[in-house]
Amino acid sequence: MSFFEIIDPAFGKFVLGNAPVKPIATGFDWVEGPVWFGDLNCLLFSDIPNNRIMRWIPGVGTSVFREPSNFSNGHTRDRQGRLVSCEHGGRRVTRTEFDGSITVIADSYEGKRLNSPNDVIVASDGAIWFTDPHYGIATDYEGHRSEQELHCNVYRVDPSGTMQAVLTDFNCPNGLAFSPDEKKLYVADTGRMHSGDPQHIRVFSVGEDWRLSGGEVFHAISPGCADGMRLDTDGNLWSSAADGVHCIAPDGHVMGKILVPETVSNLCFGGRGKHRLFITATTSVYAISLNRSGTL
Ligand code: MG
């Protein structure tokens, strides 16, 4: 059984011949939002329909970290190491403080409620960037069905707390990630899952004062979509897909694939040296060790 597919020979150096794609936790309904805590030696992830955040500890196993979780989805850590979370149910982005209290980062824009924040990243200046598609308010499965008040935008909350819609021409913005030098921002548009709606990753140039320009299509994942993505230290983009995780070079060509038996939603690098890829995929979480290091 092969755990990967090499398309560009250079990808052969990224994988280890004897490292498996290993299920490390299973029995969930739809998992997303993996985030690694090296200091605590654990992975947190969302089991969205079951309204809980789970915690996996190597050698110990999986337990509930937070329930209810307000149907949390994507997570990341800020530059101080605090957990930052998107909540469908709360229609907000929150930060969990060191004492366990919750601070609301964003829940409305120009007097209207956010839709259902989906994925979040934190830049080196501490600003929080997140996507706000409608998926978590479209049904009661992954949140609370309710009225959409805002277009599905990408927002930036700067370190002073000022919030701005920075990308407003998306159908359904979903996964997002910076290049290691933060000169490029990748944002996936996963559309409304209707035929003809956009299903691709766009790339923006990040200029002075974090202003964005460009926005051309970088790559269209097939099969599946770029629900979640992360960059390795050389600037290769690792994206979710229906058949696993695709590794895409900075010029947009697919270098290779990690094959996963369930549809992948999100991924993150973690473990010692950030060379282990944690993959949330439908009912399970998988991990594979790579000959690569990831960024945040
Ligand atoms: Mg997502």
Side-chain angles (χ1 to χ4, degrees):
M1 174 177 185
S2 181
F3 295 105
F4 42 80
E5 182 183 329
I6 296 170
I7 297 166
D8 179 331
F11 188 72
K13 296 196 184 74
F14 296 1
V15 290
L16 300 159
N18 59 347
V21 171
K22 185 172 156 188
I24 58 170
T26 192
F28 313 106
D29 284 330
W30 181 256
V31 284
E32 296 210 37
V35 57
W36 176 252
F37 282 70
D39 45 349
L40 302 175
N41 192 36
C42 74
L43 182 81
L44 300 184
F45 57 95
S46 298
D47 180 12
I48 304 178
N50 292 310
N51 199 13
R52 55 190 184 165
I53 300 172
M54 307 302 294
R55 171 174 45 202
W56 175 79
I57 301 173
V60 175
T62 310
S63 58
V64 173
F65 172 75
R66 180 183 297 167
E67 184 178 20
S69 62
N70 283 327
F71 295 92
S72 74
N73 185 336
H75 303 282
T76 193
R77 301 181 72 180
D78 70 9
R79 296 290 158 158
Q80 288 73 43
R82 295 170 294 191
L83 176 68
V84 178
S85 304
C86 294
E87 297 180 1
H88 289 178
R91 300 176 73 158
R92 64 186 191 173
V93 176
T94 62
R95 180 174 62 230
T96 302
E97 307 294 351
F98 293 127
D99 66 1
S101 60
I102 304 282
T103 299
V104 177
I105 304 291
D107 60 2
S108 63
Y109 187 65
E110 295 181 337
K112 295 178 177 137
R113 286 193 298 169
L114 296 177
N115 300 317
S116 49
N118 188 293
D119 213 343
V120 60
I121 52 177
V122 178
S124 58
D125 68 339
I128 294 169
W129 299 64
F130 66 95
T131 56
D132 186 40
H134 73 294
Y135 299 123
I137 53 171
T139 70
D140 286 317
Y141 185 54
E142 292 194 346
H144 309 295
R145 182 203 298 266
S146 37
E147 284 304 308
Q148 182 176 343
E149 298 176 26
L150 287 163
H151 183 71
C152 300
N153 296 322
V154 179
Y155 297 93
R156 174 177 182 259
V157 181
D158 75 16
S160 75
T162 302
M163 180 171 168
Q164 189 192 354
V166 289
L167 296 173
T168 57
D169 64 342
F170 275 69
N171 189 321
C172 282
N174 201 325
L176 75 173
F178 283 111
S179 60
D181 60 7
E182 295 184 319
K183 292 208 162 79
K184 288 184 201 167
L185 174 68
Y186 298 92
V187 185
D189 198 334
T190 52
R192 290 181 188 245
M193 308 302 180
H194 301 151
S195 63
D197 279 345
Q199 299 281 348
H200 52 225
I201 301 165
R202 292 168 63 188
V203 60
F204 295 85
S205 296
V206 182
E208 198 126 330
D209 297 327
W210 302 91
R211 269 196 289 276
L212 302 177
S213 59
E216 63 273 16
V217 173
F218 167 70
H219 181 84
I221 294 291
S222 179
C225 62
D227 188 340
M229 48 198 180
R230 289 287 186 272
L231 278 290
D232 66 27
T233 50
D234 287 336
N236 301 304
L237 184 147
W238 300 68
S239 169
S240 68
D243 57 352
V245 175
H246 295 188
C247 176
I248 302 149
D251 68 2
H253 81 275
V254 182
M255 301 183 75
K257 302 178 179 183
I258 306 293
L259 302 173
V260 179
E262 298 182 75
T263 295
V264 172
S265 57
N266 293 174
L267 51 114
C268 75
F269 289 93
R272 186 168 48 86
K274 285 210 178 73
H275 61 59
R276 202 165 187 206
L277 188 64
F278 292 99
I279 302 163
T280 51
T282 312
T283 68
S284 309
V285 182
Y286 297 83
I288 182 172
S289 292
L290 298 170
N291 188 24
R292 284 274 87 185
S293 283
T295 60
L296 281 177

